[in-house]
Amino acid sequence: RRSLRAAWRVLVRSVYSGEARRKIAALADAVKPDVAHFHNVHAHLTTSIVGPLRARKIPIVWTLHDYRLVCPNTSFLCRGEICERCLPNRFYEAVRRRCKKGSLPASFMAMVTTLYDRVARIPSRVDRFITPSEFLKAKLVAGGLDPDRIAAVPNFVDLDSYRPSPEADYFLYLGRLSHEKGLDYLIRAAARLDEGRLVIVGEGPAARELRGLARELGANRVEFVGHRSGEELRRLVAGAQFVVLPSRWYENLPFAIMEAMACSKPVVASRIGGIPEMVEDGATGLLFPMGDVDALAERLRRMLGDRAARMEMGRRGREKAERLYGRDGHYERIAAVYRDVVEARRGPGGAAGASKRP
């Protein structure tokens, strides 16, 4: 009985927090903000904080970084593979398939959290959602959210911190070492090459397995260098011939690609998720069908064999980063969303969704 009560308390806290609701109300009364902007509120605050803000007629903007509002597992992955069975609003599929960590209790909790947001009408009580990619926006719309409440605004990188340097003798993967990142495809493709050296930057749960795969395939030109950050990571990106992202899941707007473009580096990547919005095939990099090792190996050979093409793609990538992924441009787009929701609140009728400009 005690364990059941404890489980129930955990479930309730993951869906609704009375403490967060009280504190956000007190904060709103003290600060009297023009706009409330959310990021990742589910983990601790929960969407219970929406009510007090709505009661005070404070417009709410929410930047989404995953698919939680339409996918209880947040990633459209089930047992490591793409799954959209919960679209639209069939959240019971998460429990039926045990998509959260293969666990029935965890999957049930994930389903309840997503279902609660729908029952509480959270999507219609938020004035504007912001998605870093058009792809994420499209999935939200497929899940039943109003497209007029969603503005696609890319994230940004500090472009001044990323500068190209002369090429070294390697191409680069940077990111988490986990199944959904498709590194097994990349190692298998790299093992087929007669030239080039692959440097893998990062750590994660699949690190040991991936190192074993490289040894098994005799991929002697694959080097794991572990976690790197800050200036050391920027130097590694700046010195690479190109960057590779072989993901098997719905990437949103990968920072690895923005960092590569900021350093004038082309990208070889899976044609999946938000990646094709960033990497224009043949212009700023090369795309390949997700999971196709032969196609990936062919793209790697093409990129390794044509330095002039790498330079031109890298140049175009930097131009795109300056146009879309800079800090000032991001600020201007976010400020435009703020102005829009504030004006909509003050306009005739004060309807949250009256303006449809973003």
Side-chain angles (χ1 to χ4, degrees):
R1 285 182 183 176
R2 204 172 306 154
S3 62
L4 285 174
R5 284 197 297 269
W8 174 253
R9 285 195 295 269
V10 170
L11 175 60
V12 171
R13 281 199 304 269
S14 71
V15 173
Y16 184 92
S17 171
E19 179 185 10
R21 184 183 175 93
R22 290 189 298 272
K23 288 185 175 180
I24 203 71
L27 181 62
D29 289 338
V31 176
K32 295 181 173 56
D34 294 316
V35 177
H37 192 158
F38 295 177
H39 290 265
N40 297 322
V41 297
H42 276 108
H44 300 290
L45 297 174
T46 75
T47 54
S48 57
I49 64 175
V50 168
L53 297 171
R54 292 286 295 185
R56 289 159 178 78
K57 296 181 169 54
I58 298 169
I60 300 170
V61 174
W62 186 353
T63 295
L64 299 172
H65 300 279
D66 58 32
Y67 304 94
R68 183 187 293 267
L69 287 179
V70 293
C71 169
N73 200 28
T74 77
S75 60
F76 283 116
L77 285 174
C78 182
R79 300 184 184 89
E81 303 300 328
I82 296 290
C83 173
E84 295 188 4
R85 286 178 173 83
C86 284
L87 288 179
N89 307 324
R90 295 191 297 268
F91 304 132
Y92 60 85
E93 288 286 353
V95 176
R96 192 173 72 83
R97 294 178 57 79
R98 303 189 183 193
C99 66
K100 190 77 171 180
K101 303 176 183 178
S103 162
L104 181 60
S107 299
F108 178 76
M109 290 177 67
M111 179 200 70
V112 170
T113 301
T114 305
L115 188 60
Y116 170 81
D117 289 341
R118 293 306 178 90
V119 172
R121 299 184 298 106
I122 296 302
S124 64
R125 300 172 75 195
V126 171
D127 296 77
R128 193 74 78 247
F129 292 102
I130 292 176
T131 62
S133 68
E134 292 286 351
F135 182 85
L136 174 50
K137 177 178 178 177
K139 289 302 175 190
L140 295 174
V141 172
L145 274 67
D146 181 358
D148 291 332
R149 291 179 181 269
I150 308 171
V153 178
N155 293 324
F156 70 93
V157 291
D158 182 0
L159 295 174
D160 293 336
S161 298
Y162 291 88
R163 295 293 175 184
S165 63
E167 283 187 348
D169 65 341
Y170 62 89
F171 58 100
L172 187 73
Y173 167 86
L174 63 151
R176 181 172 166 81
L177 307 192
S178 52
H179 174 79
E180 73 274 7
K181 291 294 186 177
L183 281 160
D184 51 325
Y185 302 145
L186 178 56
I187 291 170
R188 292 181 187 281
R192 300 181 185 186
L193 302 177
D194 297 323
E195 60 177 329
R197 180 166 69 97
L198 168 62
V199 173
I200 295 177
V201 179
E203 290 291 349
R208 183 175 180 180
E209 176 186 346
L210 293 168
R211 287 187 172 94
L213 177 63
R215 287 193 299 269
E216 177 188 328
L217 296 174
N220 299 322
R221 290 190 300 277
V222 175
E223 180 181 355
F224 294 83
V225 300
H227 175 73
R228 296 289 188 274
S229 61
E231 185 58 34
E232 185 179 14
L233 177 60
R234 286 191 285 272
R235 282 198 302 268
L236 280 167
V237 178
Q241 295 166 307
F242 56 93
V243 169
V244 188
L245 191 64
S247 293
R248 56 161 47 92
W249 80 295
Y250 289 156
E251 294 276 5
N252 184 7
L253 193 88
F255 273 90
I257 294 180
M258 287 196 291
E259 290 165 345
M261 289 179 165
C263 285
S264 300
K265 301 299 173 181
V267 178
V268 175
S270 304
R271 190 187 296 274
I272 192 171
I275 291 174
E277 297 174 38
M278 307 177 76
V279 180
E280 299 165 70
D281 194 27
T284 59
L286 299 174
L287 298 174
F288 69 95
M290 187 273 287
D292 189 333
V293 175
D294 291 337
L296 173 54
E298 187 272 333
R299 304 307 193 271
L300 297 178
R301 290 190 191 97
R302 281 173 57 187
M303 197 67 85
L304 286 166
D306 194 337
R307 186 177 185 276
R310 292 199 303 269
M311 296 298 104
E312 178 60 17
M313 289 179 184
R315 183 189 66 78
R316 292 179 180 179
R318 174 70 191 197
E319 287 180 351
K320 184 168 185 175
E322 290 174 352
R323 189 171 70 252
L324 294 179
Y325 308 136
R327 177 165 42 194
D328 291 344
H330 179 83
Y331 169 80
E332 290 169 4
R333 295 182 187 99
I334 294 294
V337 172
Y338 289 169
R339 286 193 299 270
D340 192 76
V341 297
V342 169
E343 290 170 7
R345 283 280 182 164
R346 292 172 179 168
S355 178
K356 300 179 181 180
R357 282 182 301 187

